[in-house]
Structure formats: C-alpha cells, structure tokens
Amino acid sequence: MDVDVTIDDENGAARMTADTHCPYCALQCAMTLTPAPAGPVPVTVTGRAFPTNRGGLCKKGWTSAELLSTPGRVTTPLVRRDGELREATWEEALTLVATRLAELRREDGADAVGVFGGGGLTNEKAYLLGKFARLALGTSRIDYNGRFCMASAAAAGNRAFGVDRGMPFPVTDLDDAETILLLGSNVAATMPPFIGHLAGARAAGGLIVVDPRRSQTAQLTANGGGIHLQPAPGTDLALLLGLLHVVLAEGLADTRYVEERTTGFDAVRRSVASWWPERVQEHTGVPVAQLREVARRLARGRGTYILTGRGVEQHVDGTDTATAAINLALVLGLVGRPGSGYGTLTGQGNGQGGREHGQKSDQLPGYRKIADPEAREAVAAVWGVDPAVLPGPGVPAVELLGMLGRPGGVRALMVHGSNVVVSGPDAGAIRAGLEALDLLVVCDFVLSETAALADVVLPVTQWAEEEGTMTNLEGRILRRTRAIEPPPGVRSELDILAELAHRLGAPSVWPTDPADVFDELARASAGGIADYSGLSHALLDAQLADGEAAHWPYPAGSTGTPRLFLDRFGHEDGRARLVPVRAREVDAGREPGELTLITGRLLEHYQSGAQTRRVPELVSAQPEVRAELHPATAARLGIGEGDLVLVRNPRGEVAARALLTGGMRIDTVFLPFHFAGRQCANVLTEAAVDPISAMPEFKRTAVTVERAAEQEEAA
C-alpha cells in the first residue's frame, strides 16, 4: 500500500499520494507526499496524524522535499581517473569495484576489506549490507555510525535488562507523566515535535533537564515548568550517583520492587554511599538543595520517567553513566510499570533498526551475537550456507577507522549512508586514513565530504524514491513508501549489493525487491531478541491503514510488544541487573586556561550536514559555525560578540564566530558538529572510547579559544 489516489477538487485531476515518514531523526514523524507536476521540488509535504508527531513537523521535515532535487544530486556513477572523479557507466563502475575487491581479498585476506554503514539506512538495506559483508566479502570488518550514537545506551540496556530497545514503551505514555528527568538531550532542537509529549510534566512543574548549556529544552523549565541542572561537562555520572544516594538515605526507594524484580542491590547501595550531596555539589557544581529537590520529586511524582540522550552517553564512561540512570530508575521502581519508565532517545532515523540486523561488528540479524554458535546456525540456515563460512566478531567503528590504509589493516572501504570525515572523532586522522586506502567506494546521493575522497561514487535512491521499513525510537516498525521514481541512472543499494554479490561469486540468494528482503530479514530474526518474524510489508501496510502499531519483538502469531518488561526482563531469571559503577575524576589532565568543548546539534542541523547543508532555508538560518561562550569567559579572553575565534588543541583548529550567551557555563564552549572544512568540530575531538561500548568521547574535549588575528579575519 505505497500510494493512495486522491482527487484534486479544483480541477478534478487524479493525483497519487504516498504516506511515509520523515528522512531525518528517529521520531520518524509521519508525512504525506504529493507529487508536484511543476515547480522547484518534485513533491509537496503535508504533516500526517501519527502518535509521535500528531501532524506536526519541524523545519527540517517541512523542507525535506528539497533534498530530492538538490543541485548537487549525483545521478551517474563517478570513477576517479587521473586524480579526478569522472562520469562512468554502471558497468564500468561495478566491474572496477568487484575486480579490485577480489584482488585485495586475494592479496591480503577478507579482512583487508571493510564496510561502514549508517543509521539512516532502511532495515532492508542494513540487513543486506550485513549479509553482503559476511558472505560476499567474507569480512569481519563491518561497523556503522550508530556506534557514535546509541552504543553506550545499548550496552547499558543489555547488561541491565537483557534487551536494548531505546524506549521500551510508546512515546505517548509520556503525555500523562508528572515528572520527567531528561539527561543530555536537546529535543526542542533535535526533534521538536517530541516536546508536545513533555507538556504534562511541564504543566505539573516536573520537567527536569540536565545539560551544561541552557539549551532550548532547558528553557522549557522556565516559569514553573521544572528545573534545569547545569553540571560541569562529564560529571553526569557523579550527579546520578548523588541522586541515588539521596533516594536511599531518605528512604525513598521502592524496596518491594527492588526485592522482587532486581538483583545486585547491595553492591549498588555500597557504591553510592560516598556520594553525599555536598561532595556531588563540589564535583558537579549542582547545588545540594537542587539535588535533594530532584531526588524527592522523582520519588514522589506520579508518572515518573527517566530519559537519557547523547549528552550523557558520548563519553568514555557513557555506558556507566547510562547504567547509573538505569540503577536510579530501578531503585525507584519505575521500569516495566504502566505510567512510569526508563528510556533512551535514539538519534538517527533508523538508529534502532540499523543496529538490530547486522551492521554492528558483533551482531547478526535479530540482535543475535555473531559469536554465539546457535545464532550463527540459525542465520546460516536462512542464508543457505555452512555456519563455518561466517566470519567472527569484527572491531567497532573507531578502531575500524583507525585501521584504514595501515599495514596489515584495511585496504578497501565501502561506505553506505555515512559521512565519516565530518562525523567521526579526530576527523583529520580519518581523512588521512581514507586518503591512504587502495580503494574507497561510497554510495550516496550527493558528493559529501567523504564521497569527494572516493575512488568510486555510486548514486543511490533517496527516501521518497524507495520502499522499505524503519524502526523508530519506540521500537515501532514503520513503512517507508515510494512517492516518485528516482532520476534515471540512480539505483537502490539493494540492487548494487546484489549485483556485486553475484560478481564476487557469493553464495545464497540476493533478493532486490524490498518486500522480499524484509521477508528474509524476518526469517533471519526469528527467535532473536529483535524478532520481526511475524511481520511483512503487506501486514505493515494493513496496519498503516488501520492505525495500528507494530512494536518488536513481533514473533509470528503475535501482535507485537508496545511495552517491554511488564512481567519480566530479558535475562533468564526475569530480573533486572543493578550494576555498581564508579565516577572518574574529570579535571585530570586539564591545563590552566583550557575550556571544555561540548558538541551537539542545532534546530536546522542533522548529523554531518550532508542533507541539511543542501537546503537553502536551513543554511540561511545557520550559515556558519558559531562558538557559544559565556560573556564572562569571552571578556576574560578579549572576545566580543561576532568576533572570529580559533578553537584549538593539538589535533587541529576550528574557525568560528563567537556567540555570547549567559546560558553557557564559564568553563565550557559549544560547537555544532554539522560543518566541514575549517569549521569541522570533530577535528578537535579525540578517538578515545568507552571500554564497554566503544563510544567515542564527543562531549568533553580540552581546547583553547582565542580571538583571531586581523589577517585571519580578512582571510
């Protein structure tokens, strides 16, 4: 059910409309696309009633159709000849790719070839990409940019609950909440329709926002809407340990719930004993009175939820920080109870589904572990191969990118749906690695900064030109439906992967119809944690028409699982695990005069900007990178509003305009990570990672800031 026929009352002409979802964030707002017979864009966008967005869209959603006709659209394969990318036929491009991949595998083994995926790919493309890596290439070297997004929350959820689903309840459950603790997420800028679900908590004075910046979301707490806690960057773990200390010290824990539904309480109780409020205040900067007020509010409020985002997870202790938030939620008895809960806000459009079906270095479809013999056997049976041909676990994204072009490392890389030269940590080193490769193949619809370095660029379909499914932040599987045909010469990644698999002599069958690929995905996921086996495109289309939801796990014969953990958790004994964690000393290694850089997104931004930097309305609103500084910090450094400043550390330098705001801490500077070139914030961030999740440290980087010299300003 990809299209509906409607009648234009004005002239009686038949028009075809398609109900689909936004190409941006994981809220996956519903929209209807109507082909436009003439004009600058091929379709018009209308918001559609849906639980996540209720007909509303943000500025990015309203302007999303402009992506379909962007002047920089790549519609012909490009092959590098004599140092320049030149147009080629599909036959030339695919022959070159298949030949070079086969040669490099013969010379240095299968792991000399790497694959880097993206959290914006449909479930079908993510699934087939993982299958292609393991069967057609035989490589273990596959990971994706979701490692930069959800990895810490996923690791924490798996060890606490035995299941990783961002929000284990529908987003509409938040509507009735009286208290919501939101840590490290600026939803007012990153997914604006979401703030409608915070209205009840705001009205009750119970929206509690934790952020070093006074972000747009933090501003929602003004005028009695709630409380803004502004801890020093990287101290969220200490803050959470302090909140749990108060809950236990004041007898606010739900002891019956803890006894019946969890294990590990005594160890956690001991681990927070030393985090008394005064110590937490010294460590974080959050006043004792606020700490106590928040702990009491969480314990007494009816309808209490704790939600985390990237601000507290993109750290070298991000898994432990997310775990501390889960510990707090469990001790308060919030998880798996109607009207309360814990969740984490997925960022990328298919960040949830993208990690469930084979893009992660250690996973097979259905969220199965690739090292598990039973999982290997189950998936291999669907693929019609011997489990022994499947490679073992690979390496996570940062380690994979660090192997590019190095002796004994990765000599060829295929990139799908990711712009790593802007989005990855220590971006300068990533660029050098990409340039050192023997072969870089990028599938994209524009010449992104990563595609511009490629040896081969393969033009692929966009969201409104393809069929497929996405899985949003609630674990709800959605249908992406085709509204228009792609430009001549553009192919789906399903077609590209299948053709390359055949040329490489890969075993198994390689379907290219998205519905057929989904059917295979469903069979491969059967019995896994993320079980989609009861679903198909036809069933999802029927549910779309009937307004029903499809939340995984959705095993054959079921009606899905909107709310997890109502009766038991995912561990064999059905209990959640309380896990003790320790906070680190965050001031270690700082030099006098250094500030802490935090990065994030603005309203007009999405990820690396490969899409949003090509929409004129969004670009005009945020034409250049701005460094947010507190006025007192700027005065100390001799910086005025609008001055060109240089943000530096040993890894690189960013040129930005100064934006002075009292909403910043005096020890902190903020940069959006959306820009490229001399404005790329990630040339400064470090390739240090969380030891459990391999999440990079994006939110706490030591930098200096100074006013640029006059000659720099002129340049």
Side-chain angles (χ1 to χ4, degrees), residues 76-89 92-93 454-457:
T76 302
L78 304 175
V79 172
R80 190 170 298 279
R81 297 190 181 100
D82 299 323
E84 294 186 6
L85 286 171
R86 303 180 188 275
E87 291 188 358
T89 66
E92 290 170 330
D455 298 292
V456 181
V457 179

Side-chain angles (χ1 to χ4, degrees), residues 370-389:
I370 199 168
D372 178 0
E374 291 186 5
R376 294 169 65 85
E377 186 173 344
V379 174
V382 174
W383 290 349
V385 299
D386 188 325
V389 308

Side-chain angles (χ1 to χ4, degrees), residues 84-152:
E84 294 186 6
L85 286 171
R86 303 180 188 275
E87 291 188 358
T89 66
W90 275 101
E91 177 62 26
E92 290 170 330
L94 293 175
T95 297
L96 172 61
V97 172
T99 300
R100 289 296 288 136
L101 289 175
E103 289 173 350
L104 293 169
R105 289 172 62 209
R106 282 196 301 269
E107 292 172 8
D108 277 354
D111 280 352
V113 179
V115 176
F116 201 94
L121 301 179
T122 62
N123 286 317
E124 292 79 0
K125 289 193 276 190
Y127 167 80
L128 207 65
L129 185 62
K131 179 180 178 180
F132 177 83
R134 272 77 184 221
L135 290 190
L137 298 176
T139 183
S140 69
R141 302 294 192 245
I142 177 173
D143 212 64
Y144 82 130
N145 64 10
R147 187 72 67 171
F148 304 156
C149 179
M150 288 294 299
S152 291

Side-chain angles (χ1 to χ4, degrees), residues 168-182:
F169 50 83
V171 68
T172 49
D173 284 6
L174 297 172
D175 295 341
D176 298 323
E178 291 190 355
T179 303
I180 297 176
L181 174 61
L182 184 59

Side-chain angles (χ1 to χ4, degrees), residues 256-278:
R256 181 175 178 180
Y257 175 97
V258 169
E259 290 173 359
E260 293 179 351
R261 302 209 58 189
T262 73
T263 65
F265 174 70
D266 287 341
V268 167
R269 177 177 51 78
R270 291 192 297 271
S271 72
V272 302
S274 62
W275 286 99
W276 52 87
E278 292 77 14

Side-chain angles (χ1 to χ4, degrees), residues 124 467-469 479 494 511-523 535-538:
E124 292 79 0
E467 297 284 330
T469 61
R479 277 281 281 121
L494 300 181
T512 58
D513 183 281
D516 293 338
V517 176
F518 187 89
D519 288 345
E520 185 178 302
L521 177 161
R523 294 194 302 273
L535 292 169
S536 65
H537 278 205

Side-chain angles (χ1 to χ4, degrees), residues 438-612:
D438 291 272
L439 178 68
L440 174 60
V441 181
V442 177
C443 286
D444 214 328
F445 75 100
V446 292
L447 204 63
S448 68
E449 286 73 22
T450 302
L453 300 174
D455 298 292
V456 181
V457 179
L458 302 177
V460 294
T461 51
Q462 283 203 68
W463 57 289
E465 303 160 354
E466 63 186 15
E467 297 284 330
T469 61
M470 308 284 277
T471 305
N472 79 346
L473 78 174
E474 317 157 286
R476 185 195 302 254
I477 300 98
L478 308 165
R479 277 281 281 121
R480 172 176 283 183
T481 55
R482 182 190 296 114
I484 56 174
E485 293 297 320
V490 171
R491 294 189 182 183
S492 165
E493 273 154 301
L494 300 181
D495 296 319
I496 294 169
L497 293 170
E499 176 65 20
L500 287 173
H502 292 314
R503 288 172 181 250
L504 292 167
S508 191
V509 296
W510 296 88
T512 58
D513 183 281
D516 293 338
V517 176
F518 187 89
D519 288 345
E520 185 178 302
L521 177 161
R523 294 194 302 273
S525 72
I529 293 173
D531 188 332
Y532 285 29
S533 61
L535 292 169
S536 65
H537 278 205
L539 179 61
L540 288 167
D541 286 342
Q543 290 181 324
L544 178 67
D546 295 340
E548 296 180 6
H551 297 80
W552 70 261
Y554 204 113
S558 79
T559 56
T561 317
R563 295 172 182 83
L564 292 172
F565 314 138
L566 295 178
D567 301 312
R568 57 181 287 114
F569 293 97
H571 296 296
E572 286 190 10
D573 61 2
R575 291 172 173 260
R577 305 292 189 260
L578 287 158
V579 181
V581 292
R582 297 180 60 184
R584 60 194 171 111
E585 292 295 330
V586 298
D587 293 329
R590 285 290 187 269
E591 299 294 333
E594 286 184 332
L595 300 177
T596 297
L597 167 67
I598 56 176
T599 63
R601 281 165 36 194
L602 304 180
L603 174 62
E604 296 81 6
H605 294 177
Y606 182 69
Q607 305 302 83
S608 71
Q611 294 164 280
T612 46

